[in-house]
Amino acid sequence: MIKDDVGQISLEYMLIFTISLIIFIVFTLPLAELTIKDTFDISDTLNTKNDVSKIAQAIKRVYGEGQGSKQVIHIKSSDVVKLNIGNDYISANLKMNDGSEKLIKENFNSKLEKSTITLNKGENTIVIEWPVGGGLMKIYKM
């Protein structure tokens, strides 16, 4: 008779543990998914900001060195990014996982025409040059 009671108590403990584990999983998985999406958004934003900043620094360097200067930069992009280039800024719009958009913008002094460059996923080579005798700087993707 004692052995039957011990078996029933073990079964009740296993049942309680299983139900507790299911409840724990049901409440924590959706929260973990939200956290992971937010983390990916932050990572994508920082990577794009780094790429935009790298291009802006190269533009500043060419502008500072004057006519005849040229900079080539290599960017490894994790996603397709469209860069908008104005005569005094470079920007990118990122689409977040929640559907909103985030504008990343970097200002600089230059003599660039307004243009658009699309960074493809993977390796990208960007050239910024200011030809001798040329009035405007050029930026293009190789």
Side-chain angles (χ1 to χ4, degrees):
M1 189 138 159
I2 294 176
K3 290 182 182 179
D4 290 337
D5 290 340
V6 172
Q8 183 175 352
I9 292 173
S10 295
L11 181 63
E12 289 171 352
Y13 280 132
M14 285 177 41
L15 226 68
I16 290 171
F17 177 74
T18 304
I19 291 170
S20 300
L21 190 61
I22 290 171
I23 291 172
F24 178 72
I25 289 172
V26 165
F27 286 112
T28 57
L29 276 181
L31 294 174
E33 182 182 1
L34 281 172
T35 305
I36 289 170
K37 284 183 179 181
D38 289 345
T39 303
F40 282 140
D41 282 345
I42 292 169
S43 175
D44 291 344
T45 301
L46 289 175
N47 288 337
T48 303
K49 184 159 180 66
N50 184 34
D51 294 343
V52 167
S53 179
K54 190 185 285 188
I55 294 170
Q57 290 299 321
I59 292 169
K60 290 176 186 178
R61 197 171 301 122
V62 169
Y63 182 73
E65 292 174 0
Q67 291 183 358
S69 60
K70 178 179 181 179
Q71 286 284 317
V72 178
I73 53 174
H74 302 282
I75 294 176
K76 189 171 188 176
S77 182
S78 60
D79 204 5
V80 177
V81 178
K82 183 179 175 185
L83 299 173
N84 300 312
I85 300 165
N87 55 1
D88 64 346
Y89 71 90
I90 183 169
S91 67
N93 279 327
L94 281 181
K95 186 162 183 132
M96 301 288 126
N97 284 321
D98 64 357
S100 65
E101 287 191 359
K102 180 166 180 94
L103 177 68
I104 297 172
K105 187 174 182 181
E106 182 87 21
N107 294 318
F108 50 79
N109 292 328
S110 75
K111 294 190 176 204
L112 277 171
E113 289 184 344
K114 290 185 178 185
S115 62
T116 303
I117 293 179
T118 302
L119 297 179
N120 298 324
K121 188 173 185 178
E123 287 287 330
N124 296 280
T125 302
I126 307 292
V127 178
I128 300 115
E129 65 180 336
W130 193 353
V132 175
L136 296 176
M137 295 169 54
K138 296 179 184 176
I139 183 168
Y140 54 91
K141 189 170 90 168
M142 292 183 76

